[in-house]
């Protein structure tokens, strides 16, 4: 716990952590932008649309089953080993449940969107759900200790694996299956790295769930609201439009959110563990929150407006004329 005497040290650590997250997020996004630039010329909008529809299904199932225990462990400074093990066990169970729903419900989702190719894509993505659920929960300590350099390394290496595999296979296959193979490879890389980078070795435990659920139940409810706010229009577009139009919309949505989202999301991730450590001091917490909002809005608003003003030129230069 950080007391008043440690406030300068905490502020410095949070600032350094935020810098790591913002820089790391932009580096990873730059890799993603290069990936989009290359893949847009190797694949078609319909290829992107099929994967976007499958990713939408996965996102919905993730949001409805996400326990958000990682944030609970960050919040509780005195989290026990049993709570870490319980969080990991529930993540494994969740991964198996999502994988089962994807594999068994693939035909239903394909019928809803009128796209039979979704069946095998969703069944393949069931493997991603299992791999994600098995990741080492110990890496949440990187966030808890505000060691975002380690968190950045974990994400960067797995992103590079995804990038290399996806682009190489897209060049060879010219098929949306390159995107699926890249997602599986990235999840496998994250799984391996999570155990290589942190010594914690989880074991099965389901008894220390009370505090975790007491904190995360509100986050789960908020996640459902966010799901309805961000994904409802994508679902409707997927039902009523072709995969090619879905692909165009999805790529446009991702790129448009890059300027603001890639700043706000890492900043919030860096601030949360810092806020958790001063949660008992309501005055300090309120001042820190107000100042962080002011900084994020002051930087994020001009970036979003600037991208909107050059959107036509951006699409032609980055994605190509067929987009």
């Amino acid at each position: 716990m950080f007391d008043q005497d440690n406030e300068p040290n905490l502020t410095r650590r949070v600032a350094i952590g935020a810098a790591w997250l913002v820089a790391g997020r932009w580096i990873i996004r730059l890799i993603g932008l290069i990936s989009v630039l290359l893949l847009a010329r190797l694949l078609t909008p319909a290829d992107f649309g099929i994967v976007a529809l499958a990713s939408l299904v996965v996102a919905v199932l993730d949001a409805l089953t996400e326990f958000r225990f990682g944030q609970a462990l960050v919040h509780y400074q005195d989290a026990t080993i049993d709570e870490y093990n319980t969080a990991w066990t529930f993540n494994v169970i969740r991964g198996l449940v999502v994988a089962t729903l994807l594999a068994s419900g693939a035909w239903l989702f394909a019928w809803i969107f009128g796209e039979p190719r979704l069946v095998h894509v969703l069944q393949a993505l069931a493997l991603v759900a299992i791999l994600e659920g098995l990741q080492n929960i110990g890496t949440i300590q990187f966030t808890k200790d505000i060691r975002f350099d380690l968190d950045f390394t974990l994400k960067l290496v797995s992103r590079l694996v995804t990038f290399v595999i996806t682009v190489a296979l897209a060049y060879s296959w010219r098929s949306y299956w390159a995107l699926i193979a890249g997602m599986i490879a990235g999840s496998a890389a994250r799984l391996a790295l999570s155990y290589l980078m942190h010594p914690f070795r989880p074991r099965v435990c389901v008894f220390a769930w009370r505090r975790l659920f007491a904190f995360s139940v509100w986050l789960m409810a908020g996640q459902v609201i966010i799901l309805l706010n961000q994904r409802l229009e994508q679902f409707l577009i997927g039902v009523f439009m072709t995969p090619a139009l879905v692909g165009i919309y999805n790529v446009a949505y991702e790129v448009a959110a890059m300027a603001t989202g890639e700043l706000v999301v890492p900043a919030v991730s860096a601030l949360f563990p810092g806020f958790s450590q001063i949660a008992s001091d309501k005055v300090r917490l309120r001042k820190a929150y107000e100042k962080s909002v002011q900084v994020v809005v002051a930087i994020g608003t001009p970036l979003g407006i600037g991208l909107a003003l050059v959107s036509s030129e951006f699409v032609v230069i980055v994605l190509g004329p067929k987009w």
Side-chain angles (χ1 to χ4, degrees):
M1 295 289 292
F2 285 85
D3 53 28
Q4 186 74 25
D5 294 336
N6 288 325
E7 182 174 357
N9 183 49
L10 175 60
T11 301
R12 183 176 63 85
R13 292 176 62 196
V14 171
I16 294 174
W20 266 108
L21 274 177
V22 173
R25 186 99 177 187
W26 274 99
I27 291 173
I28 292 174
R29 179 54 67 182
L30 178 60
I31 296 173
L33 186 60
I34 295 173
S35 177
V36 170
L37 174 65
L38 296 174
L39 293 174
R41 287 160 172 76
L42 296 173
L43 304 176
T44 66
D47 291 325
F48 281 90
I50 292 171
V51 176
L53 290 175
S55 298
L56 174 60
V57 174
V58 173
V60 170
L61 294 178
D62 280 344
L64 295 177
T65 59
E66 177 60 66
F67 297 120
R68 310 300 294 270
F69 282 167
Q71 288 179 274
L73 292 174
V74 172
H75 174 73
Y76 293 123
Q77 297 297 305
D78 60 342
T80 65
I81 296 297
D82 283 343
E83 286 176 326
Y84 274 83
N85 287 325
T86 298
W88 177 80
T89 302
F90 275 93
N91 283 344
V92 173
I93 295 173
R94 171 183 169 272
L96 292 174
V97 169
V98 171
T100 301
L101 292 175
L102 287 173
S104 61
W107 295 96
L108 174 61
F109 294 124
W111 175 77
I112 291 174
F113 291 113
E115 180 49 70
R117 288 174 290 183
L118 278 178
V119 174
H120 297 305
V121 172
L122 290 172
Q123 291 171 344
L125 290 180
L127 178 58
V128 173
I130 296 174
L131 294 173
E132 296 289 337
L134 288 170
Q135 287 187 36
N136 186 3
I137 194 67
T139 57
I140 201 67
Q141 198 67 33
F142 298 159
T143 300
K144 196 167 185 175
D145 294 338
I146 318 183
R147 288 298 309 274
F148 295 115
D149 53 330
L150 298 177
D151 187 66
F152 165 65
T153 301
L154 175 64
K155 292 177 180 179
L156 176 62
V157 174
S158 60
R159 188 67 183 87
L160 286 173
V161 170
T162 302
F163 170 75
V164 172
I165 296 296
T166 302
V167 174
L169 293 181
Y171 181 80
S172 175
W173 295 351
R174 304 301 172 100
S175 167
Y176 56 86
W177 280 107
L179 299 171
I180 303 302
M183 294 168 67
I184 295 174
S187 294
R190 279 192 298 276
L191 174 61
L193 284 169
S194 69
Y195 287 92
L196 290 173
M197 294 182 64
H198 199 280
F200 182 75
R201 293 297 176 262
R203 60 180 178 83
V204 175
C205 178
V206 295
F207 302 110
W209 55 269
R210 288 178 176 81
R211 280 209 311 171
L212 298 177
F213 270 110
F215 179 84
S216 64
V217 64
W218 300 107
L219 296 177
M220 294 170 65
Q223 188 69 20
V224 174
I225 296 174
I226 294 174
L227 170 69
L228 294 175
N229 181 49
Q230 296 183 346
R231 298 290 184 175
L232 181 59
E233 78 279 6
Q234 295 182 21
F235 180 84
L236 295 176
I237 290 172
V239 171
F240 295 109
M241 296 187 178
T242 65
L245 293 176
V246 173
I248 292 173
Y249 175 84
N250 189 72
V251 171
Y253 182 89
E254 181 179 351
V255 173
M258 179 179 63
T260 53
E262 299 308 316
L263 172 70
V264 174
V265 172
V268 171
S269 299
L271 291 168
F272 180 71
F275 288 163
S276 297
Q277 294 177 9
I278 60 173
S280 59
D281 190 334
K282 302 303 181 183
V283 175
R284 289 178 61 201
L285 181 61
R286 183 178 65 252
K287 290 181 179 179
Y289 177 78
E290 291 174 350
K291 184 179 295 185
S292 65
V293 170
Q294 292 169 1
V295 172
V296 169
V297 172
I299 298 176
T301 302
L303 286 175
I305 295 175
L307 181 60
L309 293 175
V310 299
S311 58
S312 299
E313 294 80 4
F314 183 89
V315 170
V316 173
I317 295 172
V318 176
L319 301 179
K322 67 181 177 181
W323 290 85

